[in-house]
Amino acid sequence: MSLFPIDYSLLSKQALLSHIKDNYEVYEPINIKYFLRGMNDTYVLETKSEKYIFRVYRADRRNKSEIAFELDLLNFLYKNDVSVSIPITKKDGTLINEFFVPEGVKYGVMFSFAEGNEKPIQAVEDSYLFGKAVAQIHKVTDSFRSEHVRANLNLEHLIEKPLNIIKLHMEHRQEDYNFIYELVLGLKEKLVMKIEEGLDWGVCHGDLHGNTNVAFTENGKLTHYDFDISGYGWRSYDIAEFRLAREIHSGHNKEEVERLWEAFLHGYRDVRDLSENDVKVVSIFVALRQLWLFGLCFSESELIGVADFDDGFIDSKLEYFRNLIF
């Protein structure tokens, strides 16, 4: 009997726990929980004394070389005194697991657990600390090299691909799509001018919103995790996600956003230089990050369903883009 083709499979918790017991020197693993389904599957492994994170990458998103790049980056940061969640080595000395599933090969990696708690960044003190931590990542990775390949967070990633995805899902609203297309072309022209003036380029975390990818301890230590969208890109784009997150979580309270943004920049510049040109272009990258997220939601709808991405969803995105002021 031939198997019917599928797009997405979920690994059995019990089978994964057995695999971990066989392949890792972990002290008495006792429980595994399926924690989160997102751009990959995240499990929490508990032992009598510790916790670990086990991530299973989707077969349609990451190949082995791309994952190896991420792991090289994490180990490099750790060796250079940046607090990050690091990959755990298997008994055979390797880091990446292979799971053969109906849709192909899924890769899995176990990571150390980031001690501390997630917290909404609403205080200038936290924003300042986060800015310092981000600058430390950018500063250290200026000398990072890997033999593995990772896609760049370039104009194709930020503009061309999202527009192509959005177009497919807005065929019934051609006039609205044309508005977005023309707006983005204008933003692209402005961005290209800034690029020609010179923008900082290097390794980026790719998802620096500060809400669910960093753990704060009571003594002010920050541990970063979830580098799944990392790659080479403009550092202005990397920090733009932090500003966008502050806009969203403050309900677009301009005074609060500017207060937290200035604290972030203060912390960043206490560790690493950031030119005025890099700061000025952040507003463009904020809009392009929204465009990228717009496209991402539509692409993810192929797996999680289209119910949440109807005309009401499109209307909310259009409202954002129609209110942009440059």
Side-chain angles (χ1 to χ4, degrees), residues 85-102:
S85 170
I86 57 172
I88 305 298
T89 304
K90 297 162 60 182
K91 291 179 182 178
D92 64 5
T94 64
L95 296 172
I96 301 176
N97 301 270
E98 293 186 357
F99 302 107
F100 295 93
V101 294

Side-chain angles (χ1 to χ4, degrees), residues 184-252:
V184 171
L185 282 188
L187 293 176
K188 182 179 180 180
E189 290 180 6
K190 293 177 184 291
L191 176 57
V192 168
M193 291 175 61
K194 291 293 184 181
I195 293 172
E196 291 174 350
E197 294 174 19
L199 292 177
D200 185 21
W201 174 275
V203 172
C204 295
H205 177 283
D207 201 23
L208 288 172
H209 47 74
N211 302 306
T212 57
N213 51 23
V214 64
F216 288 77
T217 62
E218 292 184 0
N219 63 0
K221 179 182 177 182
L222 278 67
T223 300
H224 294 271
Y225 53 93
D226 194 3
F227 282 68
D228 181 45
I229 317 179
S230 62
Y232 289 96
W234 294 285
R235 262 58 182 272
S236 298
Y237 169 71
D238 214 16
I239 64 175
E241 170 60 10
F242 176 80
R243 183 177 175 98
L244 174 60
R246 303 289 71 73
E247 292 178 1
I248 293 171
H249 289 277
S250 70
H252 296 276

Side-chain angles (χ1 to χ4, degrees), residues 167-179:
K167 183 178 182 180
L168 291 175
H169 290 81
M170 289 185 65
E171 291 180 340
H172 64 302
R173 299 181 62 165
Q174 190 62 46
E175 185 176 340
D176 288 330
Y177 173 77
N178 290 342
F179 163 76

Side-chain angles (χ1 to χ4, degrees), residues 107-200:
Y107 298 102
V109 178
M110 190 151 76
F111 295 90
S112 61
F113 191 83
E115 296 297 334
N117 297 293
E118 298 171 0
K119 61 190 300 186
I121 298 182
Q122 298 171 322
V124 294
E125 295 82 5
D126 294 332
S127 192
Y128 173 81
L129 287 175
F130 192 71
K132 288 186 67 174
V134 170
Q136 187 182 18
I137 291 174
H138 288 174
K139 183 177 182 179
V140 165
T141 55
D142 280 339
S143 58
F144 170 72
R145 300 291 183 273
S146 174
E147 65 181 15
H148 301 288
V149 178
R150 190 78 164 196
N152 290 333
L153 310 178
N154 53 18
L155 295 180
E156 181 183 5
H157 174 85
L158 299 177
I159 297 177
E160 277 77 21
K161 287 184 178 179
L163 281 177
N164 288 335
I165 294 170
I166 293 167
K167 183 178 182 180
L168 291 175
H169 290 81
M170 289 185 65
E171 291 180 340
H172 64 302
R173 299 181 62 165
Q174 190 62 46
E175 185 176 340
D176 288 330
Y177 173 77
N178 290 342
F179 163 76
I180 292 175
Y181 180 80
E182 293 300 327
L183 174 68
V184 171
L185 282 188
L187 293 176
K188 182 179 180 180
E189 290 180 6
K190 293 177 184 291
L191 176 57
V192 168
M193 291 175 61
K194 291 293 184 181
I195 293 172
E196 291 174 350
E197 294 174 19
L199 292 177
D200 185 21

